[in-house]
Amino acid sequence: MNEIILDAYAKINLSLDVLYKRNDGYHELEMIMQQINLKDIITLRKIPKGIKITCNNPKVPLDSSNLVYKAYVAICNRCNIHKGVWIDIDKNIPIAGGLAGGSADAAAVLKGLNQLWELKLEDKELMSIGEKIGSDVPFCIIGGTALAKGRGEKLKELKNFKDKWLLIANPDLEVSTAYVYGNLNLSNINTRPNTKEIIKCINNDDIAGVSKRMVNVLESVTIKEYPVINEIKESMLKFGALGSMMSGSGPTVFGIFKGKTDAVKCYNILKDSIKQLIISKTM
Ligand code: C5P
């Protein structure tokens, strides 16, 4: 096998709570992560040595700051390997959008190199390599629906909340995760998610119950900076969403809908006013 092609799926948060700031500078989280069918496509091709990265989106860095580069270095170091790979990224997930696009690509590279080089590493091992690359990488390795704690790397699989229709709206802004956490004032947060209740609703496959309980405490920082996020949330709710929330540190907003008809109806109303609006589904 000389080449392998992988789907790298994005995630949304059905809830995001920050419990406290830790001594290592990170924030202790409790969040529900949900994989969605919006994806980048990653092609890995064997080359004699080194790493070459290409991407259809000129905004994506092709150097060592790209998480796929870090994934390559980490797996080479872990397995003491000196092989080369060409990584091509077909980018569809909005960049720096709160959808874990970079982490999804890194997770796909870890899984793909494991197959391409026949390393036989278990997912658990890949997740432990991945957590040093980015907090969302371990989730992107397992996907589905999960409760995440710690920095986001301590995962418990939940009953799969799949096949729920979504609209994903990116207001064409890039938001730095470090900026959002750095400006979070924990004493200013009035509403927190009731994570246990949301999990109960997930167990009952109760879309309306999940939708009305979703809370993301990071909205307090990102919406203050970019009020357009709130405007999109309100539009989604006005035009048929059961619930709408910012994903991760933002700025991407998603709406959850009762079914495809409602999602398409809302899409047709908002498509001219929101630059990047995508119909998607949980998976
Ligand atoms: O782990 P990742 O590289 O995605 O995190 C980016 C930045 O977000 C970190 O450098 C940190 O400033 C912040 N962060 C945090 N607490 C977390 C996750 C991320 O403070 N649990």
Side-chain angles (χ1 to χ4, degrees):
M1 180 170 44
N2 276 320
E3 181 184 292
I4 185 165
I5 299 174
L6 300 112
D7 293 329
Y9 292 103
K11 64 88 187 164
I12 54 171
N13 295 92
L14 297 175
S15 71
L16 195 160
D17 199 7
V18 178
L19 304 182
Y20 56 89
K21 185 165 182 194
R22 308 185 334 189
N23 292 333
D24 63 3
Y26 278 88
H27 291 77
E28 186 70 17
L29 306 178
E30 185 173 72
M31 53 186 181
I32 300 176
M33 316 277 278
Q34 175 63 55
Q35 193 176 36
I36 63 172
N37 69 356
L38 173 63
K39 65 183 181 188
D40 293 342
I41 296 170
I42 305 291
T43 305
L44 304 179
R45 206 164 290 148
K46 285 181 182 169
I47 55 174
K49 59 177 183 184
I51 174 169
K52 174 177 158 185
I53 304 173
T54 50
C55 182
N56 61 339
N57 184 330
K59 284 188 181 167
V60 172
L62 304 177
D63 59 13
S64 59
S65 66
N66 193 312
L67 297 191
V68 301
Y69 188 106
K70 295 182 183 178
Y72 164 79
V73 171
I75 209 161
C76 286
N77 288 342
R78 160 68 180 74
C79 300
N80 200 15
I81 276 180
H82 306 276
K83 291 183 177 177
V85 69
W86 172 7
I87 303 173
D88 181 64
I89 306 166
D90 185 359
K91 212 9 90 219
N92 298 301
I93 305 172
I95 301 160
L99 298 172
S103 298
D105 296 348
V109 167
L110 293 177
K111 285 207 231 182
L113 290 179
N114 189 34
Q115 284 182 48
L116 196 67
W117 294 340
E118 296 175 32
L119 303 173
K120 299 194 169 60
L121 299 173
E122 309 240 330
D123 274 0
K124 237 170 105 185
E125 182 81 29
L126 296 177
M127 287 162 80
S128 132
I129 300 170
E131 72 174 72
K132 289 163 206 116
I133 298 166
S135 306
D136 289 336
V137 178
F139 171 73
C140 292
I141 288 171
I142 57 164
T145 310
L147 174 67
K149 293 190 177 182
R151 277 167 53 204
E153 83 289 5
K154 287 185 192 149
L155 295 163
K156 185 173 163 244
E157 279 186 70
L158 299 175
K159 188 173 167 208
N160 207 327
F161 195 60
K162 65 180 173 188
D163 296 330
K164 310 296 180 273
W165 287 88
L166 307 169
L167 269 193
I168 307 286
N170 184 274
D172 206 23
L173 300 165
E174 290 181 25
V175 171
S176 145
T177 305
Y179 171 86
V180 174
Y181 280 105
N183 284 278
L184 180 67
N185 184 346
L186 283 169
S187 55
N188 250 356
I189 293 168
N190 311 319
T191 317
R192 290 178 176 280
N194 186 335
T195 310
K196 276 196 185 126
E197 280 294 318
I198 301 174
I199 293 172
K200 263 193 212 162
C201 295
I202 289 174
N203 286 335
N204 294 329
D205 211 34
D206 173 4
I207 314 182
V210 170
S211 300
K212 70 172 184 229
R213 287 175 176 81
M214 299 187 305
V215 178
N216 177 351
V217 301
L218 298 181
E219 284 185 345
S220 63
V221 182
T222 320
I223 290 184
K224 208 158 133 201
E225 194 83 3
Y226 303 107
V228 65
I229 293 169
N230 211 31
E231 289 163 24
I232 297 175
K233 283 178 59 174
E234 281 171 5
S235 304
M236 290 223 191
L237 292 170
K238 185 170 166 196
F239 297 116
L242 296 173
S244 180
M245 196 174 79
M246 183 181 87
S247 182
S249 52
T252 304
V253 174
F254 65 91
I256 302 195
F257 295 82
K258 204 168 64 194
K260 184 179 180 181
T261 313
D262 286 5
V264 171
K265 207 192 273 173
C266 185
Y267 173 84
N268 285 328
I269 296 169
L270 298 182
K271 69 177 190 302
D272 294 330
S273 56
I274 299 170
K275 206 171 163 199
Q276 258 186 307
L277 189 65
I278 303 160
I279 298 176
S280 180
K281 260 168 102 176
T282 60
M283 62 182 288

